[in-house]
Amino acid sequence: MNLLPQDVLVMLKLSVARRTRWTYDQLGMALGMSMSMVHSSIKRATQARLYDENRRRPMRAALEEFLVHGVKYAFPPDIGTVTRGVPTAFAAPALKGELLHDSGAEAVYVWPYPEGEHRGVSLSPLYKSVPEVALRNARLYDALSLLDAIRIGRVREQQRAAELLKGMLRSDDAPTA
């Protein structure tokens, strides 16, 4: 069984959630997925040793390692044309102002979304529901946009995004595993 991009979305949601109790149905509704898709994601993540079924939480150290070093290779982003969408990577709130760029040298990346209020270069989200889900959950939005910065950034940008993402996953606000 191979991991799918939506498995990363499920693990991030569980990692940054402030609630530790959840049902497959609740998680599915929050992520724009079916209950069976969430169940399958949990099974794949368990098999990949990213999730502990007994504690019902992601295995933080393994997940951090995969997010920082593996996701960019396992799920490389598709970069498209200019479109309307939701800002991600360096244009998202989590990284905006964190990195100084040459004026105009850095593209604004967006997840394509018809109701988005920004224009930028299209960057494929990990899963089709990501733009809508991100707009409803600020912590998950930050985690996903930091992950996109790791997926497309240069070394310095990847390092800063990884630092911030690890901080989110280790924060006292997020339960540890």
Side-chain angles (χ1 to χ4, degrees), residues 9-172:
L9 176 60
V10 171
M11 290 299 103
L12 275 175
K13 169 67 174 161
L14 291 174
S15 295
V16 301
R18 294 175 191 241
R19 297 178 60 201
T20 57
R21 297 203 183 271
W22 54 268
T23 65
Y24 289 108
D25 190 43
Q26 289 169 335
L27 201 51
M29 288 179 62
L31 296 176
M33 296 179 185
S34 70
M35 184 172 58
S36 64
M37 286 181 73
V38 172
H39 183 266
S40 295
S41 286
I42 296 287
K43 289 294 179 193
R44 286 188 295 269
T46 300
Q47 190 173 30
R49 294 180 293 190
L50 297 176
Y51 184 81
D52 182 342
E53 279 187 309
N54 295 326
R55 296 179 73 190
R56 292 181 48 101
R57 293 293 306 155
M59 297 171 72
R60 188 178 64 204
L63 182 61
E64 278 181 17
E65 182 179 1
F66 181 63
L67 294 174
V68 172
H69 301 291
V71 168
K72 64 185 170 188
Y73 300 110
F75 310 115
D78 291 325
I79 297 173
T81 60
V82 174
T83 189
R84 174 185 300 262
V86 177
T88 187
F90 323 110
L95 265 177
K96 202 165 193 163
E98 280 287 327
L99 301 167
L100 299 174
H101 299 291
D102 299 334
S103 59
E106 198 60 50
V108 172
Y109 291 99
V110 298
W111 295 311
Y113 186 60
E115 288 100 48
E117 297 180 2
H118 296 85
R119 291 190 60 75
V121 177
S122 168
L123 178 69
S124 62
L126 283 172
Y127 186 70
K128 63 185 176 186
S129 66
V130 162
E132 192 171 332
V133 167
L135 292 174
R136 292 191 317 247
N137 185 323
R139 285 178 59 80
L140 185 55
Y141 180 15
D142 287 346
L144 288 163
S145 57
L146 289 169
L147 185 58
D148 275 349
I150 292 169
R151 290 169 71 204
I152 64 168
R154 294 178 296 236
V155 173
R156 181 175 59 96
E157 297 158 342
Q158 289 176 349
Q159 288 173 340
R160 183 61 182 142
E163 203 175 279
L164 292 169
L165 184 58
K166 286 178 183 179
M168 278 188 76
L169 298 178
R170 294 176 185 172
S171 78
D172 292 336

